Amino acid sequence: MNKKFYQLTAEERLEALGLDESIKAFYACNQSKDSEQLIENYVTDYRLPEGILRNLQVDGQVYQVPMVTEEPSVIAAANNGASITNLGSAFITTQVGEPVLGGQILFDHVDYEELNRFVVDHVDDIFQAAKEAKPSMVSRGDGLEAVQLEDLTDHRAVLNLTVKTGKAMGANAMNTILEAVKMLFSSYEKNIVGAILTNAGHDAVVSVETKLPVAAVGGLEAAKKISALSTFGQVSPDRAVTENKGIFNGLAAVVLATGNDYRAVEAAGHAYASRDGKYRSLSKWMVDETAETLVGKIEMPLNIGVLGGAIAALPTAKKNLELLGNPTVEELKSVMLATGLANNLAALKAVSGRGIQAGHMKMQARTLAVQAGASGADIQTVANRLIKSPRIDQKTAEDILGAIENDTQN
Ligand code: MEV
């Protein structure tokens, strides 16, 4: 009997795709057994660059932070932002989110009062079902913490569950608990539309702050410009989207490097950014009343873990956590937010100052050199000449490479 594609080994899948030998060989030499267990229809590992944010100081500890990103300027910006904050207070956690995850059982066409009576009568059963679904969590002191029915009007209601997740993000545990609790509502089977975790992270809001002398960003006028630009992130949603993108440049790079779910983190961040009905930046920067200090603050929910999920199957994520000194979940959340705020500071300083292109294009030059076909030592040579040329684009990179190749041949 013919096997289905998902039943094949990674090598067999490459055969089944009928690929060209060179593509097949490329995919085959980038395969790993760990990744093969992680996803369906696996064929190869897709590699992304990882770099280090040096000496990020958070709550008195110094971290060497692994960042995974494809964008050339991100790690340079993070290092720039962090080194500036090291001239002041560095980063301080001002709000530590709870290690909790929310879950929802969604009911349609119900009478809220009647359903609420059912919930009240079965609270103990709900806790018991949750405990039986994940006994190991309960023995660690984690597990279901709260149950509350919410009236959404129009005969819709949501049973909100809050689960203490400990060191793990807890997505799988939450869904297991929800499906067990759902069974208790068999008399409402037709009304249950779904039971799934929520990535909103209402109770998991974390906040990090930094205070630095205005001299660290070039003086009072420069600091005022950073603050003025930050205000646009509060009043212009279009600006806020770009500012938050810059924050996630750093934040998501650490989320990815530590084997966490960057889609969940970003979705929660964007929802939080529009919590009052208008989409705003997740950070705020202002010059304080002394006119000597620039204060920056970031606040958003973070549901992440240092254990479980994909971390166990991603050897580099485990090593990256070791590099960070095996932080607690709380410490890792602060490191992630601090990195986001460091990137944000570098971006605001550049955008309100000389613009981002100068620094950006320096980083971009190497990418353009590679795209033009340069390899080995030629990459840096092409990049160096490109930076000095009037135009920094691929055509110019190709011309420079052509000239270098000509010189070598002659
Ligand atoms: C680029 O990747 C990120 C920035 O656009 C962020 C910002 O404008 O704040 C520089």
Side-chain angles (χ1 to χ4, degrees):
M1 200 181 72
N2 266 353
K3 281 185 182 170
K4 299 234 165 57
F5 193 74
Y6 77 91
Q7 293 168 323
L8 302 176
T9 64
E11 292 78 12
E12 288 168 342
R13 283 186 202 118
L14 295 181
E15 289 299 330
L17 286 169
L19 298 174
D20 204 89
E21 278 309 316
S22 69
I23 303 181
K24 213 162 63 183
F26 179 84
Y27 283 162
C29 77
N30 285 300
Q31 286 171 341
S32 79
K33 288 287 161 211
D34 288 314
S35 304
E36 191 169 359
Q37 305 310 316
L38 204 58
I39 60 163
E40 190 153 310
N41 290 357
Y42 173 83
V43 287
T44 196
D45 277 4
Y46 179 107
R47 284 166 53 183
L48 282 171
E50 174 174 324
I52 301 293
L53 159 53
R54 297 278 286 146
N55 305 328
L56 180 81
Q57 289 188 42
V58 189
D59 299 323
Q61 288 202 61
V62 182
Y63 297 91
Q64 310 305 321
V65 186
M67 299 177 74
V68 173
T69 180
E70 88 302 342
E71 190 172 326
S73 57
V74 165
I75 296 177
N79 277 284
N80 177 247
S83 65
I84 296 172
T85 66
N86 287 348
L87 300 172
S89 70
F91 295 100
I92 292 155
T93 306
T94 49
Q95 188 178 345
V96 189
E98 293 282 309
V100 292
L101 191 64
Q104 302 183 297
I105 303 184
L106 309 161
F107 295 86
D108 210 352
H109 304 296
V110 282
D111 179 283
Y112 173 79
E113 296 303 335
E114 186 198 303
L115 180 59
N116 199 32
R117 275 195 296 280
F118 184 92
V119 171
V120 171
D121 288 348
H122 291 83
V123 166
D124 290 346
D125 301 331
I126 293 173
F127 275 87
Q128 188 57 28
K131 194 171 164 181
E132 281 168 18
K134 289 301 290 179
S136 55
M137 270 188 122
V138 181
S139 61
R140 284 198 307 265
D142 298 326
L144 184 60
E145 283 215 316
V147 180
Q148 176 251 335
L149 190 70
E150 182 186 352
D151 187 359
L152 288 187
T153 70
D154 288 335
H155 302 287
R156 290 192 186 91
V158 180
L159 187 68
N160 293 308
L161 270 64
T162 308
V163 166
K164 198 165 162 217
T165 51
K167 289 184 181 178
M169 181 210 175
N172 280 328
M174 181 80 228
N175 289 332
T176 304
I177 290 173
L178 282 166
E179 287 179 18
V181 171
K182 191 177 112 174
M183 308 287 269
L184 297 173
F185 290 81
S186 52
S187 53
Y188 286 92
E189 203 185 331
K190 283 201 190 109
N191 307 92
I192 295 181
V193 173
I196 187 83
L197 66 84
T198 167
N199 290 114
H202 295 300
D203 300 314
V205 175
V206 189
S207 178
V208 162
E209 197 176 88
T210 185
K211 292 182 182 174
L212 42 131
V214 292
V217 291
L220 181 59
E221 285 317 304
K224 279 184 178 165
K225 274 216 157 171
I226 288 174
S227 161
L229 181 57
S230 162
T231 305
F232 275 87
Q234 297 302 318
V235 298
S236 160
D238 284 2
R239 172 60 204 149
V241 172
T242 317
E243 198 177 338
N244 286 338
K245 188 273 181 190
I247 289 171
F248 283 117
N249 272 347
L251 209 161
V254 187
V255 175
L256 199 55
T258 54
N260 276 289
D261 183 341
Y262 58 92
R263 286 89 54 217
V265 167
E266 291 189 18
H270 294 302
Y272 195 72
S274 47
R275 65 195 177 283
D276 68 2
K278 181 166 178 154
Y279 186 86
R280 301 176 197 275
S281 170
L282 292 161
S283 75
K284 279 185 186 159
W285 291 88
M286 64 193 77
V287 177
D288 79 357
E289 57 291 343
T290 66
E292 282 171 6
T293 309
L294 178 66
V295 182
K297 188 172 177 168
I298 182 166
E299 182 184 301
M300 65 168 272
L302 268 180
N303 277 132
I304 53 114
V306 291
L307 203 82
I311 298 168
L314 294 171
T316 319
K318 277 197 281 186
K319 283 283 169 253
N320 285 342
L321 285 165
E322 266 177 60
L323 172 69
L324 282 163
N326 286 321
T328 62
V329 177
E330 288 75 17
E331 286 166 348
L332 183 57
K333 286 179 180 180
S334 297
V335 166
M336 286 172 176
L337 276 195
T339 306
L341 198 56
N343 273 82
N344 182 223
L345 173 61
L348 295 188
K349 184 168 168 284
V351 173
S352 67
R354 63 184 183 141
I356 64 160
Q357 282 312 81
H360 213 82
M361 290 321 272
K362 257 191 203 162
M363 305 303 300
Q364 194 68 15
R366 283 210 296 261
T367 310
L368 287 169
V370 173
Q371 278 168 7
S375 59
D378 282 352
I379 298 175
Q380 200 53 53
T381 315
V382 173
N384 290 344
R385 291 195 198 172
L386 198 54
I387 291 160
K388 292 189 192 127
S389 72
R391 297 178 70 88
I392 303 181
D393 56 21
Q394 193 169 334
K395 168 82 178 61
T396 316
E398 282 164 9
D399 292 346
I400 294 170
L401 182 63
I404 293 173
E405 283 168 356
N406 263 341
D407 286 352
T408 332
Q409 278 157 18
N410 294 332

mmCIF file of all heavy atoms in Angstrom, residues 21-54:
data_model
loop_
_atom_site.group_PDB
_atom_site.id
_atom_site.type_symbol
_atom_site.label_atom_id
_atom_site.label_comp_id
_atom_site.label_asym_id
_atom_site.label_seq_id
_atom_site.Cartn_x
_atom_site.Cartn_y
_atom_site.Cartn_z
ATOM 1 N N GLU A 21 18.400 16.997 -8.384
ATOM 2 C CA GLU A 21 19.423 16.465 -7.459
ATOM 3 C C GLU A 21 20.014 17.554 -6.553
ATOM 4 O O GLU A 21 20.237 17.335 -5.368
ATOM 5 C CB GLU A 21 20.577 15.813 -8.252
ATOM 6 C CG GLU A 21 20.285 14.390 -8.702
ATOM 7 C CD GLU A 21 19.804 13.449 -7.602
ATOM 8 O OE1 GLU A 21 20.398 13.473 -6.499
ATOM 9 O OE2 GLU A 21 18.834 12.705 -7.826
ATOM 10 N N SER A 22 20.252 18.755 -7.140
ATOM 11 C CA SER A 22 20.936 19.784 -6.346
ATOM 12 C C SER A 22 20.020 20.304 -5.230
ATOM 13 O O SER A 22 20.470 20.533 -4.108
ATOM 14 C CB SER A 22 21.406 20.935 -7.241
ATOM 15 O OG SER A 22 20.287 21.636 -7.724
ATOM 16 N N ILE A 23 18.724 20.460 -5.520
ATOM 17 C CA ILE A 23 17.804 20.920 -4.456
ATOM 18 C C ILE A 23 17.694 19.833 -3.389
ATOM 19 O O ILE A 23 17.737 20.105 -2.188
ATOM 20 C CB ILE A 23 16.382 21.221 -5.005
ATOM 21 C CG1 ILE A 23 16.448 22.253 -6.129
ATOM 22 C CG2 ILE A 23 15.458 21.708 -3.902
ATOM 23 C CD1 ILE A 23 15.097 22.617 -6.693
ATOM 24 N N LYS A 24 17.587 18.589 -3.867
ATOM 25 C CA LYS A 24 17.449 17.456 -2.950
ATOM 26 C C LYS A 24 18.665 17.378 -2.007
ATOM 27 O O LYS A 24 18.508 17.248 -0.794
ATOM 28 C CB LYS A 24 17.350 16.163 -3.777
ATOM 29 C CG LYS A 24 16.473 15.140 -3.148
ATOM 30 C CD LYS A 24 16.039 14.089 -4.135
ATOM 31 C CE LYS A 24 17.205 13.301 -4.684
ATOM 32 N NZ LYS A 24 16.779 12.318 -5.697
ATOM 33 N N ALA A 25 19.845 17.522 -2.591
ATOM 34 C CA ALA A 25 21.067 17.436 -1.779
ATOM 35 C C ALA A 25 21.111 18.578 -0.766
ATOM 36 O O ALA A 25 21.488 18.391 0.394
ATOM 37 C CB ALA A 25 22.293 17.487 -2.688
ATOM 38 N N PHE A 26 20.681 19.761 -1.203
ATOM 39 C CA PHE A 26 20.694 20.919 -0.298
ATOM 40 C C PHE A 26 19.760 20.673 0.885
ATOM 41 O O PHE A 26 20.134 20.849 2.044
ATOM 42 C CB PHE A 26 20.277 22.188 -1.052
ATOM 43 C CG PHE A 26 20.244 23.401 -0.173
ATOM 44 C CD1 PHE A 26 21.411 24.122 0.064
ATOM 45 C CD2 PHE A 26 19.069 23.805 0.450
ATOM 46 C CE1 PHE A 26 21.404 25.234 0.904
ATOM 47 C CE2 PHE A 26 19.051 24.909 1.285
ATOM 48 C CZ PHE A 26 20.222 25.624 1.507
ATOM 49 N N TYR A 27 18.515 20.263 0.573
ATOM 50 C CA TYR A 27 17.546 19.990 1.647
ATOM 51 C C TYR A 27 18.066 18.877 2.555
ATOM 52 O O TYR A 27 17.982 18.966 3.769
ATOM 53 C CB TYR A 27 16.180 19.583 1.075
ATOM 54 C CG TYR A 27 15.341 20.728 0.537
ATOM 55 C CD1 TYR A 27 14.273 20.482 -0.333
ATOM 56 C CD2 TYR A 27 15.588 22.032 0.907
ATOM 57 C CE1 TYR A 27 13.479 21.516 -0.815
ATOM 58 C CE2 TYR A 27 14.808 23.075 0.432
ATOM 59 C CZ TYR A 27 13.752 22.808 -0.437
ATOM 60 O OH TYR A 27 12.983 23.828 -0.903
ATOM 61 N N ALA A 28 18.604 17.827 1.942
ATOM 62 C CA ALA A 28 19.025 16.655 2.728
ATOM 63 C C ALA A 28 20.134 17.011 3.711
ATOM 64 O O ALA A 28 20.115 16.554 4.846
ATOM 65 C CB ALA A 28 19.479 15.543 1.783
ATOM 66 N N CYS A 29 21.052 17.880 3.299
ATOM 67 C CA CYS A 29 22.164 18.131 4.226
ATOM 68 C C CYS A 29 21.775 19.125 5.323
ATOM 69 O O CYS A 29 22.549 19.362 6.240
ATOM 70 C CB CYS A 29 23.456 18.509 3.497
ATOM 71 S SG CYS A 29 23.478 20.164 2.918
ATOM 72 N N ASN A 30 20.588 19.675 5.238
ATOM 73 C CA ASN A 30 20.134 20.552 6.331
ATOM 74 C C ASN A 30 19.039 19.910 7.187
ATOM 75 O O ASN A 30 18.326 20.599 7.908
ATOM 76 C CB ASN A 30 19.637 21.883 5.763
ATOM 77 C CG ASN A 30 20.800 22.750 5.328
ATOM 78 O OD1 ASN A 30 21.657 23.098 6.125
ATOM 79 N ND2 ASN A 30 20.853 23.047 4.045
ATOM 80 N N GLN A 31 18.927 18.565 7.089
ATOM 81 C CA GLN A 31 17.892 17.890 7.893
ATOM 82 C C GLN A 31 18.406 17.601 9.299
ATOM 83 O O GLN A 31 19.594 17.434 9.505
ATOM 84 C CB GLN A 31 17.494 16.565 7.231
ATOM 85 C CG GLN A 31 16.643 16.755 5.997
ATOM 86 C CD GLN A 31 16.435 15.464 5.229
ATOM 87 O OE1 GLN A 31 17.167 14.503 5.390
ATOM 88 N NE2 GLN A 31 15.442 15.463 4.356
ATOM 89 N N SER A 32 17.474 17.534 10.248
ATOM 90 C CA SER A 32 17.862 17.089 11.594
ATOM 91 C C SER A 32 16.760 16.228 12.180
ATOM 92 O O SER A 32 15.579 16.470 11.924
ATOM 93 C CB SER A 32 18.138 18.291 12.506
ATOM 94 O OG SER A 32 16.934 18.839 12.958
ATOM 95 N N LYS A 33 17.179 15.235 12.972
ATOM 96 C CA LYS A 33 16.219 14.287 13.552
ATOM 97 C C LYS A 33 15.279 14.996 14.536
ATOM 98 O O LYS A 33 14.100 14.680 14.626
ATOM 99 C CB LYS A 33 16.951 13.134 14.259
ATOM 100 C CG LYS A 33 17.613 12.193 13.283
ATOM 101 C CD LYS A 33 16.565 11.308 12.559
ATOM 102 C CE LYS A 33 17.140 10.707 11.296
ATOM 103 N NZ LYS A 33 16.189 10.495 10.227
ATOM 104 N N ASP A 34 15.819 15.992 15.288
ATOM 105 C CA ASP A 34 14.982 16.704 16.266
ATOM 106 C C ASP A 34 13.822 17.405 15.578
ATOM 107 O O ASP A 34 12.684 17.325 15.999
ATOM 108 C CB ASP A 34 15.799 17.772 17.009
ATOM 109 C CG ASP A 34 16.767 17.148 17.981
ATOM 110 O OD1 ASP A 34 16.345 16.254 18.716
ATOM 111 O OD2 ASP A 34 17.949 17.551 17.981
ATOM 112 N N SER A 35 14.136 18.090 14.478
ATOM 113 C CA SER A 35 13.094 18.852 13.795
ATOM 114 C C SER A 35 12.068 17.936 13.151
ATOM 115 O O SER A 35 10.887 18.276 13.063
ATOM 116 C CB SER A 35 13.700 19.740 12.709
ATOM 117 O OG SER A 35 14.673 20.565 13.260
ATOM 118 N N GLU A 36 12.545 16.775 12.699
ATOM 119 C CA GLU A 36 11.645 15.841 12.026
ATOM 120 C C GLU A 36 10.477 15.444 12.932
ATOM 121 O O GLU A 36 9.368 15.199 12.469
ATOM 122 C CB GLU A 36 12.438 14.605 11.579
ATOM 123 C CG GLU A 36 11.647 13.721 10.659
ATOM 124 C CD GLU A 36 12.500 12.634 10.003
ATOM 125 O OE1 GLU A 36 13.709 12.577 10.246
ATOM 126 O OE2 GLU A 36 11.920 11.836 9.249
ATOM 127 N N GLN A 37 10.760 15.407 14.239
ATOM 128 C CA GLN A 37 9.703 15.024 15.186
ATOM 129 C C GLN A 37 8.739 16.170 15.457
ATOM 130 O O GLN A 37 7.679 15.988 16.023
ATOM 131 C CB GLN A 37 10.318 14.595 16.542
ATOM 132 C CG GLN A 37 11.343 13.489 16.446
ATOM 133 C CD GLN A 37 10.848 12.300 15.638
ATOM 134 O OE1 GLN A 37 9.715 11.870 15.813
ATOM 135 N NE2 GLN A 37 11.677 11.801 14.720
ATOM 136 N N LEU A 38 9.140 17.370 15.079
ATOM 137 C CA LEU A 38 8.406 18.565 15.511
ATOM 138 C C LEU A 38 7.197 18.902 14.643
ATOM 139 O O LEU A 38 6.171 19.346 15.150
ATOM 140 C CB LEU A 38 9.394 19.748 15.512
ATOM 141 C CG LEU A 38 9.096 20.938 16.403
ATOM 142 C CD1 LEU A 38 8.984 20.512 17.857
ATOM 143 C CD2 LEU A 38 10.204 21.980 16.261
ATOM 144 N N ILE A 39 7.315 18.716 13.344
ATOM 145 C CA ILE A 39 6.234 19.134 12.445
ATOM 146 C C ILE A 39 5.875 18.021 11.460
ATOM 147 O O ILE A 39 6.622 17.066 11.299
ATOM 148 C CB ILE A 39 6.611 20.414 11.635
ATOM 149 C CG1 ILE A 39 7.854 20.149 10.776
ATOM 150 C CG2 ILE A 39 6.794 21.606 12.540
ATOM 151 C CD1 ILE A 39 8.061 21.159 9.668
ATOM 152 N N GLU A 40 4.745 18.215 10.786
ATOM 153 C CA GLU A 40 4.327 17.235 9.783
ATOM 154 C C GLU A 40 4.954 17.571 8.426
ATOM 155 O O GLU A 40 5.262 18.730 8.143
ATOM 156 C CB GLU A 40 2.794 17.270 9.673
ATOM 157 C CG GLU A 40 2.256 16.146 8.841
ATOM 158 C CD GLU A 40 0.835 15.771 9.229
ATOM 159 O OE1 GLU A 40 0.572 15.562 10.413
ATOM 160 O OE2 GLU A 40 -0.002 15.709 8.321
ATOM 161 N N ASN A 41 5.134 16.531 7.612
ATOM 162 C CA ASN A 41 5.646 16.709 6.241
ATOM 163 C C ASN A 41 7.016 17.382 6.198
ATOM 164 O O ASN A 41 7.354 18.110 5.257
ATOM 165 C CB ASN A 41 4.653 17.508 5.378
ATOM 166 C CG ASN A 41 3.407 16.704 5.072
ATOM 167 O OD1 ASN A 41 3.299 15.544 5.451
ATOM 168 N ND2 ASN A 41 2.452 17.318 4.386
ATOM 169 N N TYR A 42 7.802 17.148 7.262
ATOM 170 C CA TYR A 42 9.127 17.774 7.386
ATOM 171 C C TYR A 42 10.036 17.397 6.210
ATOM 172 O O TYR A 42 10.090 16.241 5.824
ATOM 173 C CB TYR A 42 9.758 17.316 8.704
ATOM 174 C CG TYR A 42 11.191 17.742 8.878
ATOM 175 C CD1 TYR A 42 11.509 19.006 9.347
ATOM 176 C CD2 TYR A 42 12.239 16.875 8.554
ATOM 177 C CE1 TYR A 42 12.824 19.405 9.502
ATOM 178 C CE2 TYR A 42 13.559 17.265 8.708
ATOM 179 C CZ TYR A 42 13.848 18.532 9.179
ATOM 180 O OH TYR A 42 15.151 18.925 9.318
ATOM 181 N N VAL A 43 10.738 18.390 5.680
ATOM 182 C CA VAL A 43 11.746 18.086 4.661
ATOM 183 C C VAL A 43 13.141 18.591 5.010
ATOM 184 O O VAL A 43 14.147 17.985 4.641
ATOM 185 C CB VAL A 43 11.370 18.597 3.243
ATOM 186 C CG1 VAL A 43 10.263 17.774 2.626
ATOM 187 C CG2 VAL A 43 11.044 20.063 3.234
ATOM 188 N N THR A 44 13.215 19.718 5.719
ATOM 189 C CA THR A 44 14.538 20.277 6.019
ATOM 190 C C THR A 44 14.436 21.320 7.127
ATOM 191 O O THR A 44 13.336 21.718 7.517
ATOM 192 C CB THR A 44 15.160 20.908 4.761
ATOM 193 O OG1 THR A 44 16.553 21.108 4.965
ATOM 194 C CG2 THR A 44 14.517 22.226 4.389
ATOM 195 N N ASP A 45 15.604 21.736 7.629
ATOM 196 C CA ASP A 45 15.635 22.868 8.572
ATOM 197 C C ASP A 45 15.877 24.144 7.775
ATOM 198 O O ASP A 45 16.775 24.181 6.929
ATOM 199 C CB ASP A 45 16.774 22.695 9.581
ATOM 200 C CG ASP A 45 16.375 21.794 10.727
ATOM 201 O OD1 ASP A 45 15.263 21.242 10.699
ATOM 202 O OD2 ASP A 45 17.196 21.639 11.651
ATOM 203 N N TYR A 46 15.101 25.167 8.089
ATOM 204 C CA TYR A 46 15.274 26.477 7.464
ATOM 205 C C TYR A 46 16.122 27.292 8.424
ATOM 206 O O TYR A 46 15.724 27.514 9.561
ATOM 207 C CB TYR A 46 13.900 27.113 7.286
ATOM 208 C CG TYR A 46 13.882 28.490 6.668
ATOM 209 C CD1 TYR A 46 13.443 28.661 5.361
ATOM 210 C CD2 TYR A 46 14.262 29.611 7.384
ATOM 211 C CE1 TYR A 46 13.409 29.918 4.797
ATOM 212 C CE2 TYR A 46 14.235 30.873 6.819
ATOM 213 C CZ TYR A 46 13.805 31.016 5.523
ATOM 214 O OH TYR A 46 13.764 32.263 4.947
ATOM 215 N N ARG A 47 17.309 27.674 8.022
ATOM 216 C CA ARG A 47 18.205 28.344 8.975
ATOM 217 C C ARG A 47 18.064 29.849 8.941
ATOM 218 O O ARG A 47 17.955 30.446 7.878
ATOM 219 C CB ARG A 47 19.645 27.944 8.678
ATOM 220 C CG ARG A 47 19.929 26.541 9.173
ATOM 221 C CD ARG A 47 21.192 25.974 8.634
ATOM 222 N NE ARG A 47 22.328 26.868 8.872
ATOM 223 C CZ ARG A 47 23.555 26.598 8.428
ATOM 224 N NH1 ARG A 47 23.782 25.504 7.744
ATOM 225 N NH2 ARG A 47 24.543 27.423 8.658
ATOM 226 N N LEU A 48 18.069 30.447 10.119
ATOM 227 C CA LEU A 48 18.057 31.902 10.249
ATOM 228 C C LEU A 48 19.299 32.312 11.038
ATOM 229 O O LEU A 48 19.754 31.553 11.892
ATOM 230 C CB LEU A 48 16.818 32.363 11.023
ATOM 231 C CG LEU A 48 15.491 32.393 10.265
ATOM 232 C CD1 LEU A 48 14.349 32.659 11.234
ATOM 233 C CD2 LEU A 48 15.517 33.457 9.180
ATOM 234 N N PRO A 49 19.811 33.521 10.795
ATOM 235 C CA PRO A 49 20.994 33.941 11.553
ATOM 236 C C PRO A 49 20.660 34.230 13.021
ATOM 237 O O PRO A 49 19.584 34.755 13.314
ATOM 238 C CB PRO A 49 21.425 35.238 10.845
ATOM 239 C CG PRO A 49 20.637 35.324 9.597
ATOM 240 C CD PRO A 49 19.414 34.485 9.767
ATOM 241 N N GLU A 50 21.611 33.868 13.890
ATOM 242 C CA GLU A 50 21.476 34.232 15.308
ATOM 243 C C GLU A 50 22.665 35.084 15.706
ATOM 244 O O GLU A 50 23.807 34.759 15.380
ATOM 245 C CB GLU A 50 21.430 32.957 16.171
ATOM 246 C CG GLU A 50 21.442 33.277 17.657
ATOM 247 C CD GLU A 50 21.245 32.056 18.548
ATOM 248 O OE1 GLU A 50 20.468 31.153 18.180
ATOM 249 O OE2 GLU A 50 21.874 32.026 19.633
ATOM 250 N N GLY A 51 22.413 36.165 16.393
ATOM 251 C CA GLY A 51 23.490 37.035 16.882
ATOM 252 C C GLY A 51 23.255 37.386 18.335
ATOM 253 O O GLY A 51 22.237 37.002 18.915
ATOM 254 N N ILE A 52 24.181 38.118 18.920
ATOM 255 C CA ILE A 52 24.107 38.378 20.364
ATOM 256 C C ILE A 52 23.927 39.864 20.666
ATOM 257 O O ILE A 52 24.631 40.714 20.105
ATOM 258 C CB ILE A 52 25.404 37.884 21.067
ATOM 259 C CG1 ILE A 52 25.611 36.383 20.828
ATOM 260 C CG2 ILE A 52 25.377 38.200 22.567
ATOM 261 C CD1 ILE A 52 24.594 35.468 21.472
ATOM 262 N N LEU A 53 23.018 40.127 21.550
ATOM 263 C CA LEU A 53 22.909 41.452 22.163
ATOM 264 C C LEU A 53 23.781 41.375 23.410
ATOM 265 O O LEU A 53 23.495 40.612 24.333
ATOM 266 C CB LEU A 53 21.439 41.751 22.514
ATOM 267 C CG LEU A 53 21.162 42.825 23.567
ATOM 268 C CD1 LEU A 53 21.851 44.122 23.236
ATOM 269 C CD2 LEU A 53 19.660 43.050 23.687
ATOM 270 N N ARG A 54 24.873 42.166 23.406
ATOM 271 C CA ARG A 54 25.860 42.089 24.491
ATOM 272 C C ARG A 54 25.441 42.932 25.676
ATOM 273 O O ARG A 54 24.987 44.060 25.521
ATOM 274 C CB ARG A 54 27.220 42.615 23.993
ATOM 275 C CG ARG A 54 27.827 41.808 22.868
ATOM 276 C CD ARG A 54 28.549 40.584 23.362
ATOM 277 N NE ARG A 54 29.812 40.913 23.996
ATOM 278 C CZ ARG A 54 30.322 40.251 25.026
ATOM 279 N NH1 ARG A 54 29.646 39.259 25.569
ATOM 280 N NH2 ARG A 54 31.487 40.599 25.550
#
